[in-house]
Amino acid sequence: MPEGDSVFRLARRLDRQLVGSTVVRSDFRTPALATRDLSGREVLEHVTHGKHLLTRFSGLDGSPAATLHSHLRMDGSWSTLRPGKHLPRDVRPHVRLVLGLDDGRAVHGIRLHDLALVPTAREHDVVGHLGPDPLRDDWDPAEAVRRLGARPGTPLVSALLDQRAMAGLGNLWANELAFLTGVSPWTAVGEVDLPRLVDRAARMLRQSATVEGAYQVTTGSRARGDTHWVTGRQRQGCRRCRGPVSVSAEIPGDAANRRTWWCRSCQPGPGPEARVRAAVP
């Protein structure tokens, strides 16, 4: 699933491609929005909150400015095509939105999830449940610390994946942050120095999102196979000690318990069974 830095970078690309363009035709291919029309509205900007994308449009004929909310989940994408170009035939059934622009280009939203169209003044209706996001201007680290610590017995990686506590961190960042903190992924979050953890998470996410060549590089090395400390390294071993990297399977349908990598030597503490105990009231 794309993480907050992935969606932030997508928003910047869409800004470069679409801002200032006027929609001349819109086609929503999802029942809830099938009768809605964005024709005549100008694309103003793209903003993000965690893994959620918000596309803002101008007001029109007395109607307020509007925001299109979308979530990529595992398979969503956006495509902008020049006049005369077409999507591959096998992709077309998965298009959920088509925007025709005043210069002849067509924008396709492919396999988009959680589509909603709301007045821009009511964006809170679709993203108000999310926690603070380090990539937003309203980033509040103290609130992120408070929310992460509200359930001190929660395993660290589960707490970091909870978008209601801190928005934008996905599985890669949860695994790598646990490693850099020097504890097992299933260490109770209340046992971790949360201000330090939140500060590190924010700095790493911002660097990944905004620095050229630093996208999701957690080690400082951009060399192939050397960009992560433990994530995906079950064959190469821990980048620090070269010892074995363990892997725990995700719990299907549970967003707080994804596939987890860790080094038992560098990350002492409880094992995966701790997440089961934490789930018991």
Side-chain angles (χ1 to χ4, degrees):
M1 179 180 293
E3 312 202 8
D5 49 342
S6 312
V7 183
F8 184 91
R9 289 165 65 93
L10 169 63
R12 301 290 71 75
R13 174 173 67 82
L14 291 174
D15 272 351
R16 293 190 296 270
Q17 294 177 346
L18 307 181
V19 167
S21 298
T22 297
V23 178
V24 296
R25 179 178 65 88
S26 69
D27 177 11
F28 285 99
R29 301 176 184 179
T30 181
L33 299 177
T35 61
R36 305 298 294 272
D37 187 7
L38 291 171
S39 297
R41 294 180 184 264
E42 179 183 342
V43 181
L44 298 180
E45 62 179 336
H46 297 81
V47 297
T48 62
H49 195 142
K51 304 174 184 181
H52 299 248
L53 177 67
L54 302 169
T55 304
R56 291 173 176 165
F57 297 88
S58 65
L60 179 68
D61 298 333
S63 297
T67 295
L68 176 67
H69 164 269
S70 62
H71 197 300
L72 301 182
R73 296 194 184 276
M74 292 294 292
D75 55 355
S77 64
W78 288 80
S79 174
T80 303
L81 298 180
R82 297 191 302 275
K85 297 294 182 180
H86 302 282
L87 290 174
R89 188 178 301 274
D90 61 336
V91 174
R92 295 174 198 172
H94 304 291
V95 172
R96 298 293 173 262
L97 165 66
V98 181
L99 300 177
L101 303 181
D102 54 350
D103 61 2
R105 290 179 299 157
V107 181
H108 297 82
I110 304 162
R111 296 188 179 90
L112 298 181
H113 302 268
D114 303 336
L115 277 176
L117 190 61
V118 298
T120 298
R122 295 187 57 184
E123 287 177 355
H124 187 271
D125 291 352
V126 288
V127 294
H129 63 289
L130 299 171
D133 177 352
L135 300 178
R136 289 176 57 87
D137 292 339
D138 59 1
W139 164 237
D140 186 345
E143 177 63 10
V145 168
R146 186 192 71 78
R147 293 190 183 203
L148 284 168
R151 297 174 58 196
T154 303
L156 175 59
V157 288
S158 299
L160 291 175
L161 289 172
D162 185 349
Q163 300 301 296
R164 298 166 299 178
M166 181 174 173
L169 298 177
N171 202 41
L172 166 69
W173 292 108
N175 281 270
E176 296 292 286
L177 285 165
F179 177 86
L180 291 168
T181 304
V183 298
S184 156
W186 295 280
T187 300
V189 69
E191 298 177 12
V192 174
D193 183 340
L194 285 177
R196 184 179 182 187
L197 173 69
V198 166
D199 178 69
R200 172 179 279 155
R203 286 188 287 107
M204 294 180 72
L205 201 64
R206 287 194 204 106
Q207 176 162 317
S208 177
T210 63
V211 176
E212 187 67 29
Y215 176 61
Q216 296 193 345
V217 174
T218 62
T219 61
S221 171
R222 302 175 189 177
R224 183 180 178 87
D226 201 38
T227 56
H228 303 145
W229 294 100
V230 289
T231 304
R233 293 185 61 91
Q234 60 268 37
R235 293 183 179 179
Q236 302 100 315
C238 171
R239 185 178 179 274
R240 176 180 290 162
C241 75
R242 302 301 174 184
V245 167
S246 299
V247 185
S248 176
E250 67 179 291
I251 296 178
D254 188 344
N257 289 290
R258 312 296 295 177
R259 193 178 190 191
T260 305
W261 291 266
W262 81 107
C263 172
R264 294 179 186 270
S265 176
C266 296
Q267 297 174 259
E273 66 279 357
R275 67 185 175 191
V276 178
R277 292 198 300 269
V280 177

